Amino acid sequence: MDSGSFLKSPVSTNIAPRPALVTSIPICESRAEVRPQTSKRKRIACQECRQGKLRCEGTSRQSCKRCSLLGLTCVYDNDYKRFNKRLKLQELTKEVERLRATQQTSSVSQETSPSHQSPELHLRPETELSPGRIVPESPVCAPEVASCDEVPNTYASLCEAHHPQVLGNTSLTAVQVTRLFRRYFKENHPYVPIIEEGISPDNYHGQSPLLFWTIIAIASRHDDEEPTVVGSLAPFLKTLLWQTIGSPPHTRSDLKAMILLCLWPMPTSSMSTDSSFVLASACKSSAMHVGVHRPYSVQDFSRIRTSPRPDEVKDALITWSACFIAAESITSLIGQAPLFVTDATLDAICNGRNDVGIPPDMYHLVLIWRFCNKFNRVMASRERRVGSLGESDSGVLLPLYEIELVQLRQQLGDNLSDDNEIMFLYASLQLRCYYFLESYARASSREGILKAYRSAVDVIWRCHKRDTDTQLFRRGPVIFRNALSIASVFVLKTLRSSNSQLVDAEEGRRAFNVSLSLLRKCSIEDNDLPGRFSKILSQLWCATPPESSPQRGLNVTSRLGGSVLHDTLWTWREKFGGQAPDGQRPQVSAFSGPRTSAPSSSNRTWPGASPDEQGHRNDVSHPTTSIGQPHHEQSAPLSGNCDMVDLDLDSELNNDWFWNEAGLSSLLTTDFDALCLPEAFNTNNNFVGHGASVRLS
C-alpha cells in the first residue's frame, strides 16, 4: 500500500482494551493485612540525642545505647528545646567572671574590716548589671575630682591589676595599669559615669579589650609620668576599634568604649581626618542592632529568650543617653544634621522625672542636648530658599526657641552643676548662631547676635574658672573644648566688626586672650586640632583691624549652627592658607617677620611671587603688639589682676610656618619642622574673673 492510500484509509477503532488490574482484595485492605492497625505512641528522643540531632533508640523506661556507651544521663523531656552551645559557653564564662569578682571583693572587704565591714562595701544582688559585672551599693570613690594620690585604699585594692598587658608596641606592667585605672576613675569617670566601678582591670580586659585600652588611652592624656603612652597607643587602638566595629554583634562594654572614644577622641591634626562623626554613627547603629535603644523590649532584638532585670534596663538607658550626648555634641560642631531624629526612649526620659535612676548630671545633659536636637532638626529639615538658611521663617522660629530656652532653664532647676551651666550656655550659643544666617537688616538679628556674644563671653569665663578649680580641659571630655571654640569664634567675629561699639570690647579682648590659653591646654601633642586652632584665631585677630567692616552674613551657610565656625576657617584659608579666590596670593600678616628659633626664611620660595616680592616677604618686621590690641597700637598692660603671658606668637603670625619646602599649601600638608611651638603655661590659680593678656615677643 502506498503512502497516499494509507493516509486516506480510515483509522480502525477496534483497539483491544487493557486488561483490568485484578486484585483479590482492596488496597487499603491489603495494607491492613501487611501493617496491622495498632496504636503506637510517637517515639521521643532523649535530651542528649536531640541536642546532637541523632537518632535515639531508647525509651522512656530504659537508657538509649548512645548514653549508655558515653556514660551520659539519659533524660526524656517532651518540652526540651535545643540551645546554642556557643552562647551557652559565653554565659558560663561570664558567670565564672562574676563569681571571681564576687570572691575578690569579699576577700578584700574581710581584710579591710575583719570585725565589721564598712557599709560602702556591702553588695546587693540586684545591683548586678550583667553576669561578670557588679556595682557597690554606694560608690567607693568620691564623685568630686581629685588627685590620684587621694584615692581610698579600699578602691585601690579593688582596682589592682595582676597581669601586664600588651597592644602593638605598647607594653604596660601591672603597676602601670593599676595607676592609670585609678587616674581614670578619679579624673575622667565623674564626667561620664557609664562604666562600673570596683572591677579589676584584668576583668575589664576579659570583658572587652577595646574598653580596657580605651580607659588606658583616656587616662594617659596629659600624663606627666607616662607622656608617650597615648601617642604610641593611638594607631593600634584605632586598628582595634575598627576591627571590633567590623565584628557585630557588639557587647555593652564595646558600645561604652565607642562612646568614650567619641568624647575623648585620639589626637589628630585635621578635622577631615577626625573620625568622631563616623564613629558616632557606628556607635548609634551598633546600639540599635542589639536593642539598647529599646531596653524594655530587648527580647525583640535577641535570638534567645531573655528577660532583662531592672538594673540591666537602667544600664541600657544610661548607655543610650551617653550615646545620644556624644552624637549630638559632634554633629552640632561640624554642622551636620542630628543623627537622632525621633526616639521614644529619649522622649520618655525627658518627659519624666528621672524615675529610671540616671545620674542627675547626665540627666540634665540629656535635657540640654535634647533641646539642641530639637531646633537643629527643624533648621535642617525646613525648606530653604536659594539654598540658604534664614531666608524664610527663622525670624519666627528663633524667638519661639528663645522662649523654650527660658523654660528649659526653669526645668533644670537650681541644682545645676557648674559643668552643666557651661553646657546650658553652650546650648544658647548654638541656638543664637542661626542669627548669623538671617538678614542683618532685621533688628531681631542684631539683637540675637549681641545675645550670642554675651553667651560666648560667659562660656569663656566659666570655662576659665572651672579649669582653674578642676583642670577641666585636661580631664573633661571634648564637649567643653567645642564650646570654647565656638565662643572664641563669636567673640572674634563680633569685636572685628562694627558691633564692637555696642559691647564691652575690653572685656571681650580679655576673654579672647583667655580662650587662646585654654585651647593651648587642650593640646595633647604638637600640631593637633586645638593647637592649630589657637594659631588660626591669633592670625585672624591680628590680620583684621577692629571695626574694619560692618557686620555681614556668612559665606558658609549649609552647615547649620556650625556655619559660624566653618566660615571662620574658610576666611583663614583664603587669607593665609593658599585658598584665595580669583588667583590671589595668600595675605602676609603685618606682623610677620624673621624668627630667631627657626631656620631663616630667606631660602624659602613663595608660590606665585616675583623675586622682588620674595625679598619683601622675607624682610618684613613687626612691633611688639598684644593680641588683644589693634595692630596699629602699642601693647599696654591691662588694668586689674591680669597675668601677662608670653605665647611667643611671632612664629605663628609669620606665614612661613604654613608653607612647606615644596611650596605647597593646604591644611593637611604643612611644614611644622621649622615651627617653634611655645611652652605650656598655666594661669594664676588665684586669678578669677579676668583674662590673661597675650603679648607677642
Side-chain angles (χ1 to χ4, degrees), residues 109 116-124 127 135-138:
S109 61
H116 58 279
Q117 295 183 350
S118 174
E120 286 78 10
L121 294 178
H122 290 169
L123 301 178
R124 299 182 300 175
T127 57
V135 176
E137 182 175 0
S138 58

Side-chain angles (χ1 to χ4, degrees), residues 332-352:
S332 62
L333 178 74
I334 65 177
Q336 296 285 359
L339 296 177
F340 287 74
V341 180
T342 57
D343 188 81
T345 301
L346 291 174
D347 291 339
I349 293 175
C350 296
N351 295 333

Side-chain angles (χ1 to χ4, degrees), residues 453 456-457 460-461 464 484 487-489 491-492 495-496 505-521 534 537-539 541-542 625-630 635-639 642-647 649 652 681-683 687 690-696:
Y453 171 79
V457 173
I460 295 175
W461 289 129
H464 172 67
L484 183 66
S488 58
V489 167
V491 173
L492 173 66
L495 295 184
R496 285 316 192 224
E506 182 66 17
E507 181 191 14
R509 183 174 67 87
R510 294 199 305 267
F512 186 78
N513 289 333
V514 169
S515 67
L516 291 182
S517 65
L518 293 178
L519 285 172
R520 294 280 185 174
K521 291 184 179 181
S534 64
L537 292 179
S538 61
Q539 277 193 307
W541 179 276
C542 294
T625 309
S626 172
I627 278 290
Q629 295 286 351
S635 99
L638 297 177
S639 59
C642 299
D643 296 337
M644 302 295 293
V645 182
D646 188 358
L647 288 183
L649 294 178
E652 298 175 14
F681 65 94
N682 293 321
T683 55
F687 177 76
H690 296 280
S693 176
V694 182
R695 184 178 63 244
L696 299 179

Side-chain angles (χ1 to χ4, degrees), residues 37-49:
Q37 295 180 355
T38 57
S39 59
K40 295 181 63 177
R41 298 181 60 185
K42 183 179 179 181
R43 178 175 294 180
I44 299 176
C46 67
Q47 293 183 1
E48 296 294 337
C49 294

Side-chain angles (χ1 to χ4, degrees), residues 188-485:
N188 308 110
H189 175 74
Y191 292 100
V192 187
I194 61 174
I195 62 177
E196 299 77 35
E197 307 173 39
I199 301 179
S200 67
D202 299 331
N203 288 338
Y204 276 112
H205 190 276
Q207 294 178 15
S208 172
L210 178 61
L211 179 59
F212 173 87
W213 289 108
T214 298
I215 295 175
I216 294 295
I218 295 175
S220 60
R221 300 160 65 99
H222 304 286
D223 187 20
D224 297 331
E225 297 186 22
E226 301 288 343
T228 60
V229 170
V230 63
S232 61
L233 187 62
F236 301 101
L237 180 59
K238 292 179 181 178
T239 302
L240 177 62
L241 169 65
W242 297 113
Q243 287 178 351
T244 304
I245 293 177
S247 303
H250 304 107
T251 64
R252 196 74 58 81
S253 299
D254 293 336
L255 293 176
K256 294 177 180 179
M258 298 179 197
I259 295 172
L260 293 177
L261 286 176
C262 288
L263 296 174
W264 281 275
M266 291 292 98
T268 182
S269 60
S270 173
M271 295 184 70
S272 60
T273 58
D274 186 11
S275 60
S276 298
F277 179 58
V278 180
L279 180 57
S281 304
C283 183
K284 175 179 178 287
S285 302
S286 300
M288 297 177 65
H289 182 62
V290 295
V292 175
H293 67 306
R294 295 291 184 270
Y296 297 101
S297 305
V298 70
Q299 174 67 56
D300 301 342
F301 302 88
S302 176
R303 293 191 306 151
I304 59 176
R305 185 168 298 280
T306 180
S307 178
R309 300 189 300 271
D311 48 322
E312 292 180 333
V313 173
K314 175 183 175 181
D315 181 70
L317 291 173
I318 293 176
T319 303
W320 186 242
S321 300
C323 181
F324 168 72
I325 294 171
E328 286 299 313
S329 64
I330 293 172
T331 54
S332 62
L333 178 74
I334 65 177
Q336 296 285 359
L339 296 177
F340 287 74
V341 180
T342 57
D343 188 81
T345 301
L346 291 174
D347 291 339
I349 293 175
C350 296
N351 295 333
R353 296 183 179 180
N354 193 19
D355 299 330
V356 296
I358 298 178
D361 288 346
M362 180 175 290
Y363 177 69
H364 290 159
L365 278 178
V366 173
L367 295 178
I368 293 172
W369 285 107
R370 191 61 172 169
F371 171 72
C372 297
N373 174 272
K374 182 178 180 180
F375 65 74
N376 282 327
R377 281 190 290 114
V378 172
M379 294 297 179
S381 61
R382 66 195 180 113
E383 296 181 357
R384 298 165 177 83
R385 183 161 59 92
V386 199
S388 174
L389 284 172
E391 294 287 338
S392 55
D393 57 352
S394 59
V396 178
L397 291 176
L398 294 179
L400 294 178
Y401 285 126
E402 289 280 358
I403 297 176
E404 292 191 17
L405 182 67
V406 177
Q407 296 174 352
L408 173 63
R409 187 62 187 87
Q410 296 175 354
Q411 182 182 2
L412 294 174
D414 299 331
N415 297 326
L416 197 64
S417 65
D418 294 336
D419 294 335
N420 285 341
E421 284 283 1
I422 297 176
M423 288 296 99
F424 176 78
L425 291 173
Y426 182 31
S428 65
L429 187 58
Q430 291 184 57
L431 173 63
R432 290 158 183 169
C433 282
Y434 288 101
Y435 284 109
F436 270 100
L437 303 178
E438 283 191 329
S439 174
Y440 190 69
R442 297 179 181 176
S444 60
S445 177
R446 294 194 297 271
E447 180 182 356
I449 291 176
L450 295 179
K451 287 182 179 179
Y453 171 79
R454 185 67 260 170
S455 299
V457 173
D458 290 342
V459 166
I460 295 175
W461 289 129
R462 287 183 179 272
C463 286
H464 172 67
K465 185 178 184 303
R466 288 298 292 168
D467 185 75
T468 303
D469 297 338
T470 63
Q471 299 184 9
L472 176 66
F473 291 98
R474 291 173 60 92
R475 302 174 176 178
V478 72
I479 304 178
F480 298 100
R481 190 187 81 191
N482 297 345
L484 183 66
S485 301

